[in-house]
Amino acid sequence: MVNQQAAYALLAEQLAEQGVNVETVKAALRRQQIETPSWGYANSGTRFKAFAWSGAATTTQQKLDDAAMVHKMTGIAPTVAVHIPWDKPADEDYPAMRQYAEAQGIAIGAVNPNVFQEDEYKLGSLGNPSPVIQERAIDHIIECCEIMHKLNSRVLSLWFADGTNYAGQDALRMRKCRFERGLKLVKPKLPAGGRMLIEYKFFEPAFYSTDIPDWGTAYAWSLKLGEAAQVLVDLGHHAQGVNIEQIVAFLLDENKLGGFHFNNRKYADDDLIVGSTNPYELFLIYNELVDAELNDDPALRDAARNVSYMIDQSHNIEGKLAPMIQSVLNCQEAYAKALIVPRRQLAELRWAGEVLLAHRLLTDAFRTDVRPLLAQVRAELGVPADPIAAYLASGYESRIRQERGLAATSGGFQ
Ligand code: PSV
Ligand code: MN
């Protein structure tokens, strides 16, 4: 403990020498918020096998209990995203669901419509050649806008599995037009102050063409739709080697970065623990966000403040709550490292064309051990210094194993 405090004092001193105020850094870390997904607490897997995990949530109440536990351990995960109909209450009593969440000390965040799991959506939802199926998808998304009202949610998070598997299967331009029409019909149904986040994904489940394959498509549509529409960046939805931080910088500058689905990938949409494969990439993404957050331009600061930080993970072999806590902590660490970048010095080195020195200054921040700083922030937030150890020692996991057992399926709010 004493060592930790001494290490924190030393780090604070080093930061002060570089012109970074540790109190400002800690205040930002205390304000940080990461939303967890209800579906991340239920059993999930790959198309080959979903290994059932003993204690996995099967009802929305259990998912909310688990999300509340993650918040209790970390202090920075106060909201949970829901997926409809996965979380649909049997009696449609959404106010009861909202109250249940609040009673656990959390709130409902983004509402995610699901227009991909019904048989009718075999050829797509908004892009489907059948006007009947298009209407069905539009109706479901509008229903989700109404649910947003009931849950006091301000974020509609849209992802579409739409695409084609074979050249000639459908008219690509027509699919674009159908999408634009559908999104235009949905937008006015958002609650006041509500935002519509358009998520892109370069392939899967469709293999020949995907209707929203990249951020450019989502951006073009968000421009047509106006202020309430923005782009959602899921870290697992890019081709190998894509520079995600550059996409983030561009969208921030245009005030079109709506939010993130954090996870990590190695090959495809692997849905691994955030920052587990490439923590440097996560740091570079946070670096762009902090650059906007601390910018002199108030418009850029507002754009950064509006971003929704959400996790989208489907754990298969590593458990449920502990990996979720790990993801939240990895986001916290990446943010901390981005916050300690000496930005004035960096700007001077850039102006001077000092390529190597600028690069070194940035990577020095990435290499800094911020654990003493995070322990201090956790003490100030009133949460355990080591949230994973505290969770494992809490008895929560053995209790839910006993109470819930091993279930292969997952249900909604009961
Ligand atoms: C699709 O791969 C996705 O990233 C979308 O966000 C879905 O809503 C989520 O995963 C859960 O299937
Ligand atoms: Mn996603």
Side-chain angles (χ1 to χ4, degrees):
M1 196 53 154
V2 175
N3 281 348
Q4 194 76 283
Q5 274 166 359
Y8 166 69
L10 191 67
L11 180 61
E13 208 178 295
Q14 278 168 7
L15 294 177
E17 276 166 23
Q18 292 181 313
V20 178
N21 182 335
V22 79
E23 292 304 324
T24 316
V25 169
K26 282 193 297 171
L29 284 163
R30 287 194 303 267
R31 281 194 307 269
Q32 189 183 15
Q33 291 194 355
I34 307 285
E35 183 162 309
T36 68
S38 70
W39 55 97
Y41 300 105
N43 274 320
S44 56
T46 67
R47 63 200 167 98
F48 301 103
K49 171 81 177 163
F51 296 102
W53 177 76
S54 176
T58 56
T59 66
T60 301
Q61 279 96 333
Q62 291 171 352
K63 295 174 199 171
L64 297 174
D65 292 345
D66 292 353
M69 184 62 181
V70 170
H71 180 47
K72 205 171 147 194
M73 293 295 105
T74 62
I76 57 166
T79 59
V80 58
V82 292
H83 223 294
I84 308 294
W86 294 341
D87 293 309
K88 195 176 190 144
D91 51 4
E92 310 247 345
D93 193 351
Y94 288 99
M97 191 163 137
R98 176 181 162 186
Q99 279 162 18
Y100 186 88
E102 285 167 2
Q104 313 314 309
I106 54 172
I108 307 283
V111 173
N112 291 247
N114 183 320
V115 283
F116 51 85
Q117 71 172 29
E118 306 296 336
D119 286 339
E120 288 86 338
Y121 297 131
K122 184 166 88 176
L123 300 179
S125 58
L126 295 189
N128 197 297
S130 155
V132 176
I133 308 297
Q134 288 167 35
E135 288 321 302
R136 189 191 155 117
I138 291 167
D139 286 351
H140 174 62
I141 302 173
I142 290 175
E143 180 199 347
C144 285
C145 292
E146 285 152 16
I147 294 170
M148 287 170 73
H149 279 282
K150 294 177 191 158
L151 293 175
N152 198 25
S153 161
R154 290 289 168 274
V155 175
L156 180 73
S157 192
L158 296 173
W159 177 71
F160 300 92
D162 287 54
T164 67
N165 269 3
Y166 293 96
Q169 179 189 322
D170 200 357
L172 299 180
R173 193 177 60 76
M174 289 309 295
R175 292 187 73 94
K176 168 185 179 283
C177 296
R178 292 174 204 142
F179 254 92
E180 289 188 2
R181 176 183 163 271
L183 293 173
K184 270 187 197 147
L185 289 172
V186 168
K187 205 202 81 172
K189 308 290 181 188
L190 286 170
R195 290 181 297 145
M196 167 198 270
L197 310 189
I198 306 172
E199 182 174 356
Y200 57 92
K201 179 171 180 173
F202 75 126
F203 89 111
E204 199 196 45
F207 296 122
Y208 169 68
S209 71
T210 299
D211 289 309
I212 315 183
D214 51 29
W215 70 273
T217 308
Y219 172 68
W221 287 348
S222 74
L223 280 182
K224 280 194 178 178
L225 289 161
E227 222 180 288
Q230 292 179 308
V231 180
L232 187 144
V233 178
D234 183 314
L235 302 194
H237 291 188
H238 307 83
Q240 212 72 280
V242 165
N243 186 330
I244 302 177
E245 56 272 25
Q246 190 176 16
I247 298 171
V248 168
F250 186 101
L251 292 174
L252 271 172
D253 197 61
E254 297 292 329
N255 193 16
K256 282 294 181 188
L257 181 66
F260 285 97
H261 269 180
F262 282 135
N263 49 51
N264 217 166
R265 73 184 288 267
K266 181 131 180 86
Y267 296 106
D269 187 22
D270 305 333
D271 278 330
L272 300 174
I273 294 170
V274 185
S276 58
T277 310
N278 194 348
Y280 185 47
E281 178 185 66
L282 187 63
F283 160 75
L284 293 175
I285 290 168
Y286 265 107
N287 179 49
E288 292 305 327
L289 289 153
V290 172
D291 182 72
E293 249 174 51
L294 302 179
N295 207 278
D296 290 339
D297 178 356
L300 205 49
R301 288 204 301 270
D302 280 351
R305 224 167 279 146
N306 245 331
V307 175
S308 297
Y309 296 89
M310 301 174 277
I311 288 175
D312 180 7
Q313 278 177 215
S314 297
H315 310 111
N316 194 21
I317 57 167
E318 63 277 60
K320 298 289 160 194
L321 280 91
M324 195 65 84
I325 294 172
Q326 186 64 62
S327 284
V328 173
L329 300 183
N330 288 353
C331 291
Q332 188 179 43
E333 187 170 333
Y335 186 41
K337 290 181 175 189
L339 283 164
I340 63 165
V341 171
R343 292 191 186 270
R344 198 165 304 149
Q345 270 186 54
L346 186 61
E348 282 162 12
L349 291 171
R350 286 170 174 174
W351 273 108
E354 291 287 358
V355 177
L356 183 66
L357 295 182
H359 173 66
R360 275 176 59 95
L361 193 70
L362 188 68
T363 52
D364 273 351
F366 174 65
R367 292 195 177 99
T368 302
D369 183 358
V370 291
R371 284 174 295 183
L373 169 66
L374 295 179
Q376 180 65 29
V377 169
R378 287 181 196 133
E380 291 173 15
L381 283 170
V383 299
D386 182 343
I388 296 270
Y391 171 68
L392 296 177
S394 70
Y396 188 88
E397 188 117 355
S398 49
R399 185 164 61 76
I400 57 173
R401 282 191 179 181
Q402 224 165 29
E403 285 171 8
R404 301 176 188 170
L406 196 69
T409 53
S410 150
F413 192 79
Q414 290 166 352

